[in-house]
Every structure is written in C-alpha cells, then in structure tokens.
C-alpha cells in the first residue's frame, strides 16, 4: 500500500481529506478510493460552508468521478450526510474534494472547463468520458464558483452593453463588458428594459453611481434605462455598431446595383456583382488578391458602388482614429454623405447626425470598438458550440468561462 501522501497527490485531494482505503473495483474496472472529510472539514453546509448540526444520512454512500489514474477510471467514495443549515435548511454537507451538487471532483471539473476553452467539443467528451450536457453543468459550476470567489462587478467604471441575436434573430442575449479589463462580466437571456434593469439591480445603487461611461448601440430603450440607473454615466454609441450600419448601407447599394443590372439584361455583369459581397465587406488589409481585383473592377465599371465603398471605409477609418481629429473627419464625412446622392448613405448620414452626441462621446473617450466586436463574434461561435446543452444558462456560463476570465488552471499546474 502506497503512503497517504502519494495517494493524496494522485487522487487530487488536499489535507482536509482522509483516505481510508483504495481498491480496484473489477466490475466497473475502476479504482475506488474510500474517503472522508477530516474532522474540521466535516458537518459544513454544502452551500455556505458554515458549520451546522447533522440532519440525516442523506443518500448514504455515493461516488464522485475523479481524474483517471493513467488509463484507469477513478472514483472517490464517501458518505453524503445532510446538515441542518440555519440559513439553507437540510443541505448535503460540504466535501473538500468536490463542488456542491457535483458528481465529479474539483480537479475533474477544472480539467473539463480548461479543455472546453482549448479544444474541440468531441475531444473533450471522448477524453474525459462525459456527455456534452454534463460538460454544460460542469462549466456552470466552475463559473458560479469563480464568481462567488471574486465579485465581477467591483470597481466598474467604463462598461459596454450589447444585444446579441442568435437562432436567426428569434432569441437575444444581453451582455455587459468591462472596457478596462476587457472582460465579459454579465450575460442574460432576453434584451429588453427588464433584462437590463436586472443587471443594474445586481450592481446596486452605489456601484451604478460609480459608472462613468456606458457604450451601447443606439437603441433608445437602452439609453432610457442607463439614464435612469447610472446618473453619472456618459452614454457612448459603440463604434462597432456605427461601422455595422455603414456595412448594411453598402450592402443595400450593392443589391440595388445588382438588381438594376439584372433587370436591364446585363446578366454577366449582375453575376460578377453578386460575387463582390466579400470584397466590399472585408477590411482592405484582409483582402485576397482575387478580392482586390474585384474592387478594382468595381471602381472601373460602377462608380456609385465604389463611392459607397469609399464612404464606408472612410467611416471605419474615422472610428479607428478616434480623438479630436476624428471629430473633424466626421464633420467632413457627414458633408460628403449629404451630397453623395446615394440614398442609403444619405440616410446613414441622417442616422449618424441623429446619434451624433453618442458617437462623438465614443470618439473622444477613445473607446475601442474591438472589444464589443470580438465578444459579439465569439459568442456566436460559442452558441453553436453550446448546442446540446440543457439550459441557456449553460451557454452563458460557457461565455463567461471563455470571455470572463473564469477558465481555471489545469489541475496541479498553478504557479
Ligand atoms: Zn448554508
């Protein structure tokens, strides 16, 4: 029999756990370690950790999956009595080796959470021998634990809000990011006054009063809630959304030009135009040689579409420049848009004038639009990945794990 210290290391339990025996269970071909909490770790409420009198034996003996030992599956087995917590009532007692309500050890949970943010879904399930829906619950547990340990809402000064549609616009997520840490701090299903109000409720009045700057898209209802709840905050229109408006306007021009060409029987021309979407849409620095050639072709054969492209690119440049210089550039741009005679861009000019205060505040405060943009993009990817999770809360937990800084270190590797 190996010494207790060696087993403790191998099973991933700390000194609060007593190992009584380790056996091979031939029927399931797994190592099973009988364990119990040390005296001072016993009889604590599983939810709050406070000491409480015993209540009953609960489920009796039960097992927790621990990390495999080499290639062999491993379980920890112990009693799971309940205590009578003054606050939470009869609750399963805390155990030092696992999170509350978990079927897996703390190390097992952490390794699964780490893998989810670093590798493919199928690899996680195959390697860890768990179902994908179990991964959803594990991620939710790890994130809840991390958020209980460090309050994600402390010290917020500059935040960004965004609505993200998924399931083809049928469902929305509302998210909040911290512009200073670059982290996702909150997400909830739904996007309306009530959803956003719930976020500010979580913050509480004192912390709301400390917020100096809130960036969002130009939705009026967001502005209403922000004005009402964060009295000291300046509302900025997020640059990412402004660029998106320009991209939408450009797409409208491309469709019109294409329809015209089609109707007038220029089928070859129309076909070429149809294939131009990506060349117009991508940032010039990311264009392939073929897409560059397409742009050059547009410049030659369709000046309206090319001017629309330049208007969009100039606006994107302004958003990137920021500061006082960007304000002058924006004035020039608005004058250009007003006399461009491209309806979609004349309209865009109006929209920008209407939201000028928010856009100027965003440029002057030099807010990066990359944070909202990358969070937005990543959440769409995570949403596809979360397919098969049982609850939308698990998708939110996955997003927070990945973008909120809650991914744990691999067990045994922390510096
Ligand atoms: Zn309790």
């Amino acid at each position: 029999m190996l010494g207790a210290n060696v087993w403790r290391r191998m099973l991933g339990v700390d000194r609060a756990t007593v190992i009584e025996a380790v056996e091979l269970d031939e029927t399931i071909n797994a190592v099973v370690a009988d364990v119990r909490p040390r005296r001072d770790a016993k009889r604590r409420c599983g939810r709050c950790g406070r000491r409480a009198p015993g209540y009953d034996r609960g489920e009796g003996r039960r097992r927790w999956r621990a990390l495999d030992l080499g290639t062999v599956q491993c379980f920890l087995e112990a009693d799971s009595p309940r205590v009578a917590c003054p606050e939470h009532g009869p609750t399963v007692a805390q155990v030092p080796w696992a999170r509350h309500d978990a079927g897996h050890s703390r190390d097992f949970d952490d390794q699964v959470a780490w893998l989810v943010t670093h590798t493919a879904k199928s690899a996680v399930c195959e390697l860890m021998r768990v179902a994908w829906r179990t991964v959803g619950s594990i991620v939710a547990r790890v994130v809840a634990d991390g958020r209980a340990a460090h309050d994600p809402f402390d010290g917020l000064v500059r935040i960004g809000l965004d609505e993200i549609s998924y399931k083809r616009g049928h469902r929305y997520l509302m998210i909040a990011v911290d512009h200073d840490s670059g982290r996702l701090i909150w997400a909830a299903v739904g996007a309306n006054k009530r959803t956003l109000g719930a976020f500010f409720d979580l913050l509480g009045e004192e912390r709301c009063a400390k917020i100096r700057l809130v960036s969002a898209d130009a939705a009026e209802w967001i502005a209403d809630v922000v004005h009402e709840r964060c009295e000291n905050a300046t509302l900025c229109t997020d640059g990412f959304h402004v660029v998106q408006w320009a991209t939408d306007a450009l797409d409208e021009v491309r469709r019109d030009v294409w329809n015209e060409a089609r109707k007038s029987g220029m089928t070859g021309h129309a076909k070429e135009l149809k294939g131009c979407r990506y060349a117009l849409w991508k940032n010039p620095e990311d264009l392939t040689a073929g897409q560059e050639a397409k742009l050059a072709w547009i410049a030659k054969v369709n000046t309206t579409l090319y001017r629309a492209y330049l208007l969009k690119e100039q606006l994107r440049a302004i958003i990137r420049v920021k500061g006082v210089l960007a304000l002058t550039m924006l004035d020039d741009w608005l004058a250009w848009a007003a006399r461009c005679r491209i309806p979609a861009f004349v309209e865009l000019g109006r929209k920008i004038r209407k939201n000028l205060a928010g856009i100027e505040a965003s440029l002057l405060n030099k807010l990066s639009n990359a944070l909202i943009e990358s969070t937005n993009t990543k959440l769409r990817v995570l949403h596809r990945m979360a397919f098969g999770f049982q609850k939308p809360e698990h998708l939110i937990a996955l997003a927070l794990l990945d973008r909120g800084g809650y991914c744990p270190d691999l067990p045994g590797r922390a510096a």
Side-chain angles (χ1 to χ4, degrees):
M1 171 81 186
L2 291 170
N5 274 335
V6 178
W7 274 118
R8 210 176 269 130
R9 285 285 175 81
M10 288 174 65
L11 297 169
V13 296
D14 64 13
R15 301 200 68 85
T17 304
V18 178
I19 301 165
E20 295 179 309
V22 183
E23 279 156 25
L24 185 68
D25 183 336
E26 304 265 9
T27 55
I28 56 165
N29 190 30
V31 169
V32 178
D34 291 328
V35 294
R36 63 177 162 83
R38 196 183 272 279
R39 184 182 290 274
D40 48 351
K42 261 168 84 169
R43 296 232 177 99
R44 289 180 180 278
C45 169
R47 291 176 63 189
C48 64
R50 259 173 293 175
R51 261 183 185 282
Y55 181 77
D56 66 4
R57 297 193 54 228
E59 285 176 52
R61 298 290 286 177
R62 54 158 296 192
R63 286 177 178 182
W64 289 258
R65 250 317 272 290
L67 288 170
D68 290 358
L69 294 173
T71 56
V72 187
Q73 275 196 41
C74 176
F75 292 87
L76 304 174
E77 190 182 290
D79 291 330
S80 57
R82 291 196 293 175
V83 294
C85 174
E87 194 188 332
H88 299 107
T91 311
V92 177
Q94 192 178 60
V95 292
W97 55 83
R99 293 181 172 89
H100 184 55
D101 245 353
H104 308 86
S105 73
R106 200 169 272 276
D107 280 1
F108 190 96
D109 280 355
D110 287 354
Q111 181 154 317
V112 167
W114 187 91
L115 283 167
V116 166
T117 56
H118 288 80
T119 189
K121 185 169 164 171
S122 56
V124 181
C125 296
E126 189 82 23
L127 176 68
M128 300 306 289
R129 306 186 233 208
V130 285
W132 185 242
R133 54 198 276 179
T134 309
V135 173
S137 325
I138 289 177
V139 167
R141 235 169 16 230
V142 170
V143 169
D145 211 32
R147 283 168 89 76
H150 297 282
D151 195 326
F153 300 140
D154 262 358
L156 294 177
V157 182
R158 308 188 310 153
I159 62 168
L161 303 169
D162 201 11
E163 313 153 72
I164 293 171
S165 72
Y166 64 104
K167 290 196 178 166
R168 295 185 183 201
H170 292 306
R171 302 200 59 181
Y172 285 88
L173 273 187
M174 183 102 214
I175 63 159
V177 296
D178 177 358
H179 279 293
D180 295 297
S181 69
R183 282 178 174 172
L184 175 69
I185 49 169
W186 171 84
V189 174
N192 52 46
K193 285 191 166 188
R194 196 150 24 100
T195 325
L196 188 53
F199 168 63
F200 290 125
D201 286 343
L202 283 174
L203 254 62
E205 273 182 37
E206 207 175 299
R207 287 187 293 202
C208 283
K210 287 186 182 147
I211 292 177
R212 296 273 157 208
L213 210 147
V214 179
S215 76
D217 62 16
E220 258 169 55
W221 67 268
I222 295 185
D224 289 346
V225 179
V226 171
H227 284 313
E228 192 183 312
R229 306 295 291 267
C230 307
E231 50 191 19
N232 300 316
T234 305
L235 193 65
C236 301
T237 306
D238 204 275
F240 164 61
H241 291 285
V242 178
V243 174
Q244 226 175 20
W245 299 343
T247 310
D248 291 346
L250 177 60
D251 214 37
E252 203 181 312
V253 178
R254 186 191 57 87
R255 268 196 315 266
D256 288 349
V257 166
W258 171 68
N259 270 326
E260 249 167 59
R262 213 173 36 120
K263 277 182 204 151
S264 56
M266 300 163 69
T267 36
H269 190 79
K271 213 173 157 195
E272 283 282 324
L273 278 170
K274 201 168 185 208
C276 285
R277 183 154 187 257
Y278 285 99
L280 291 166
W281 189 50
K282 270 174 129 183
N283 301 338
E285 59 271 22
D286 301 332
L287 290 179
T288 62
Q291 287 164 340
E292 271 176 23
K294 282 231 140 133
L295 264 186
W297 175 78
I298 293 170
K300 223 160 63 188
V301 303
N302 199 305
T303 50
T304 305
L305 185 55
Y306 194 66
R307 274 189 303 126
Y309 172 76
L310 293 178
L311 276 157
K312 182 260 285 186
E313 275 308 311
Q314 177 66 6
L315 189 60
R316 203 171 67 89
I318 294 167
I319 300 291
R320 259 206 310 210
V321 167
K322 302 185 185 68
V324 185
L325 174 62
L327 295 194
T328 332
M329 289 166 77
L330 187 59
D331 279 345
D332 292 345
W333 188 92
L334 284 167
W336 181 16
R339 59 180 156 75
C340 72
R341 282 177 294 163
I342 306 170
F345 277 84
V346 173
E347 192 46 47
L348 175 63
R350 283 199 199 110
K351 188 170 181 179
I352 287 177
R353 263 183 217 285
K354 200 177 145 220
N355 293 285
L356 201 56
I359 295 170
E360 287 186 340
S362 172
L363 293 173
L364 282 176
N365 286 289
K366 302 197 171 173
L367 272 188
S368 148
N369 59 322
L371 178 60
I372 288 284
E373 182 174 1
S374 68
T375 309
N376 201 303
T377 310
K378 193 65 200 266
L379 272 169
R380 278 172 221 283
V381 176
L382 292 177
H383 171 246
R384 279 199 294 279
M385 190 177 183
F387 182 78
F389 280 178
Q390 278 177 303
K391 302 177 186 166
E393 288 77 28
H394 292 177
L395 159 66
I396 288 169
L398 181 62
L400 287 166
L401 182 78
D402 191 73
R403 307 294 300 186
Y406 293 106
C407 182
D409 290 315
L410 272 173
R413 310 281 180 89

Short mmCIF file of all heavy atoms in Angstrom, two decimals, residues 3 21 23 25 58 60 103 114 119 130 133 141 172 182 215 227 236 242 253-254 314-315 357 404:
data_model
loop_
_atom_site.label_atom_id
_atom_site.label_comp_id
_atom_site.label_asym_id
_atom_site.label_seq_id
_atom_site.Cartn_x
_atom_site.Cartn_y
_atom_site.Cartn_z
N GLY A 3 1.92 5.23 0.48
CA GLY A 3 1.67 6.15 1.57
C GLY A 3 0.53 7.09 1.25
O GLY A 3 0.21 7.34 0.08
N ALA A 21 -9.10 3.85 2.25
CA ALA A 21 -8.69 2.65 1.51
C ALA A 21 -8.74 2.95 0.02
O ALA A 21 -9.46 3.84 -0.41
CB ALA A 21 -9.64 1.50 1.83
N GLU A 23 -9.10 0.69 -3.62
CA GLU A 23 -9.29 -0.64 -4.19
C GLU A 23 -9.60 -0.57 -5.68
O GLU A 23 -10.02 0.46 -6.17
CB GLU A 23 -10.49 -1.33 -3.52
CG GLU A 23 -10.19 -1.95 -2.18
CD GLU A 23 -11.46 -2.06 -1.33
OE1 GLU A 23 -12.56 -2.12 -1.92
OE2 GLU A 23 -11.32 -2.05 -0.10
N ASP A 25 -12.16 -1.78 -8.31
CA ASP A 25 -13.49 -2.39 -8.46
C ASP A 25 -13.52 -3.08 -9.83
O ASP A 25 -13.63 -2.43 -10.86
CB ASP A 25 -14.56 -1.28 -8.36
CG ASP A 25 -15.98 -1.85 -8.44
OD1 ASP A 25 -16.16 -2.94 -9.01
OD2 ASP A 25 -16.90 -1.18 -7.94
N GLY A 58 -28.69 11.41 4.49
CA GLY A 58 -28.81 11.78 3.07
C GLY A 58 -28.93 10.57 2.18
O GLY A 58 -29.66 9.64 2.49
N GLY A 60 -26.69 8.36 1.73
CA GLY A 60 -25.79 7.30 2.14
C GLY A 60 -24.47 7.39 1.38
O GLY A 60 -24.02 8.47 1.04
N GLY A 103 -21.10 15.75 -9.41
CA GLY A 103 -20.87 14.31 -9.49
C GLY A 103 -19.40 14.03 -9.80
O GLY A 103 -19.02 12.89 -10.05
N TRP A 114 -11.16 23.64 -18.52
CA TRP A 114 -9.98 24.09 -19.25
C TRP A 114 -10.03 23.57 -20.70
O TRP A 114 -9.80 24.31 -21.65
CB TRP A 114 -8.70 23.59 -18.55
CG TRP A 114 -7.45 24.15 -19.15
CD1 TRP A 114 -6.80 25.29 -18.79
CD2 TRP A 114 -6.71 23.59 -20.25
NE1 TRP A 114 -5.70 25.48 -19.60
CE2 TRP A 114 -5.62 24.46 -20.50
CE3 TRP A 114 -6.86 22.47 -21.06
CZ2 TRP A 114 -4.69 24.23 -21.51
CZ3 TRP A 114 -5.94 22.24 -22.07
CH2 TRP A 114 -4.86 23.10 -22.29
N THR A 119 -10.05 23.17 -26.69
CA THR A 119 -10.08 22.14 -27.73
C THR A 119 -11.52 21.84 -28.18
O THR A 119 -12.47 22.41 -27.66
CB THR A 119 -9.37 20.86 -27.24
OG1 THR A 119 -9.25 19.96 -28.35
CG2 THR A 119 -10.14 20.15 -26.15
N VAL A 130 -17.32 11.88 -20.81
CA VAL A 130 -18.54 12.50 -20.29
C VAL A 130 -19.43 12.92 -21.46
O VAL A 130 -18.95 13.14 -22.57
CB VAL A 130 -18.26 13.79 -19.46
CG1 VAL A 130 -17.71 13.45 -18.09
CG2 VAL A 130 -17.35 14.75 -20.20
N ARG A 133 -23.84 17.28 -22.42
CA ARG A 133 -24.72 18.01 -21.49
C ARG A 133 -24.13 18.07 -20.09
O ARG A 133 -24.34 19.03 -19.36
CB ARG A 133 -26.12 17.40 -21.48
CG ARG A 133 -26.13 15.91 -21.19
CD ARG A 133 -27.42 15.30 -21.62
NE ARG A 133 -28.42 15.46 -20.57
CZ ARG A 133 -29.66 15.04 -20.66
NH1 ARG A 133 -30.06 14.47 -21.79
NH2 ARG A 133 -30.50 15.19 -19.69
N ARG A 141 -20.98 25.16 -13.00
CA ARG A 141 -20.49 25.03 -11.63
C ARG A 141 -19.18 25.78 -11.43
O ARG A 141 -19.00 26.51 -10.46
CB ARG A 141 -20.22 23.55 -11.40
CG ARG A 141 -20.93 23.03 -10.23
CD ARG A 141 -20.97 21.57 -10.03
NE ARG A 141 -20.09 20.67 -10.69
CZ ARG A 141 -20.52 19.58 -11.34
NH1 ARG A 141 -21.81 19.33 -11.44
NH2 ARG A 141 -19.67 18.75 -11.88
N TYR A 172 -32.53 36.57 -28.02
CA TYR A 172 -31.49 37.55 -27.76
C TYR A 172 -30.77 37.28 -26.45
O TYR A 172 -31.34 36.77 -25.49
CB TYR A 172 -32.09 38.96 -27.69
CG TYR A 172 -32.44 39.50 -29.05
CD1 TYR A 172 -33.68 39.25 -29.62
CD2 TYR A 172 -31.50 40.23 -29.78
CE1 TYR A 172 -34.00 39.74 -30.87
CE2 TYR A 172 -31.80 40.72 -31.03
CZ TYR A 172 -33.05 40.46 -31.58
OH TYR A 172 -33.35 40.94 -32.81
N GLY A 182 -11.40 44.37 -20.21
CA GLY A 182 -11.63 43.68 -21.48
C GLY A 182 -12.45 42.41 -21.30
O GLY A 182 -12.51 41.57 -22.19
N SER A 215 -21.09 52.30 -23.05
CA SER A 215 -21.22 52.25 -24.51
C SER A 215 -22.29 51.23 -24.88
O SER A 215 -22.46 50.22 -24.19
CB SER A 215 -19.89 51.88 -25.16
OG SER A 215 -19.62 50.51 -25.02
N HIS A 227 -29.82 56.15 -18.44
CA HIS A 227 -30.02 57.47 -17.84
C HIS A 227 -30.68 57.38 -16.47
O HIS A 227 -30.34 58.08 -15.54
CB HIS A 227 -30.87 58.37 -18.75
CG HIS A 227 -30.08 58.87 -19.92
ND1 HIS A 227 -28.83 59.41 -19.79
CD2 HIS A 227 -30.36 58.92 -21.25
CE1 HIS A 227 -28.37 59.76 -20.98
NE2 HIS A 227 -29.28 59.46 -21.88
N CYS A 236 -22.23 56.43 -24.67
CA CYS A 236 -21.50 56.47 -25.95
C CYS A 236 -22.11 55.46 -26.92
O CYS A 236 -22.54 54.39 -26.51
CB CYS A 236 -20.05 56.06 -25.74
SG CYS A 236 -19.18 57.09 -24.59
N VAL A 242 -21.67 51.48 -35.40
CA VAL A 242 -21.66 52.50 -36.45
C VAL A 242 -21.08 51.92 -37.74
O VAL A 242 -21.62 52.11 -38.83
CB VAL A 242 -20.87 53.74 -35.98
CG1 VAL A 242 -20.83 54.79 -37.08
CG2 VAL A 242 -21.48 54.31 -34.70
N VAL A 253 -26.78 49.19 -51.29
CA VAL A 253 -26.35 49.76 -52.58
C VAL A 253 -25.98 48.64 -53.54
O VAL A 253 -26.38 48.63 -54.71
CB VAL A 253 -25.16 50.73 -52.40
CG1 VAL A 253 -24.70 51.27 -53.75
CG2 VAL A 253 -25.53 51.86 -51.46
N ARG A 254 -25.22 47.67 -53.05
CA ARG A 254 -24.80 46.55 -53.90
C ARG A 254 -26.01 45.79 -54.44
O ARG A 254 -26.07 45.46 -55.62
CB ARG A 254 -23.90 45.59 -53.11
CG ARG A 254 -23.29 44.47 -53.96
CD ARG A 254 -22.65 43.40 -53.10
NE ARG A 254 -23.60 42.82 -52.14
CZ ARG A 254 -24.41 41.81 -52.42
NH1 ARG A 254 -24.40 41.24 -53.61
NH2 ARG A 254 -25.25 41.35 -51.50
N GLN A 314 -14.13 55.10 -45.22
CA GLN A 314 -13.73 56.34 -44.56
C GLN A 314 -14.34 56.39 -43.15
O GLN A 314 -13.67 56.77 -42.20
CB GLN A 314 -14.17 57.55 -45.40
CG GLN A 314 -13.87 58.91 -44.77
CD GLN A 314 -12.37 59.19 -44.65
OE1 GLN A 314 -11.54 58.42 -45.14
NE2 GLN A 314 -12.02 60.27 -43.97
N LEU A 315 -15.58 55.97 -43.04
CA LEU A 315 -16.23 55.97 -41.74
C LEU A 315 -15.51 55.01 -40.77
O LEU A 315 -15.29 55.32 -39.61
CB LEU A 315 -17.71 55.58 -41.88
CG LEU A 315 -18.56 55.75 -40.62
CD1 LEU A 315 -18.57 57.20 -40.15
CD2 LEU A 315 -19.99 55.28 -40.86
N ALA A 357 -24.22 62.93 -30.70
CA ALA A 357 -23.69 63.13 -29.34
C ALA A 357 -23.03 61.85 -28.82
O ALA A 357 -21.91 61.88 -28.30
CB ALA A 357 -24.82 63.57 -28.41
N GLY A 404 -14.81 35.78 -19.68
CA GLY A 404 -14.90 36.47 -18.39
C GLY A 404 -13.72 36.21 -17.48
O GLY A 404 -13.67 36.70 -16.35
#
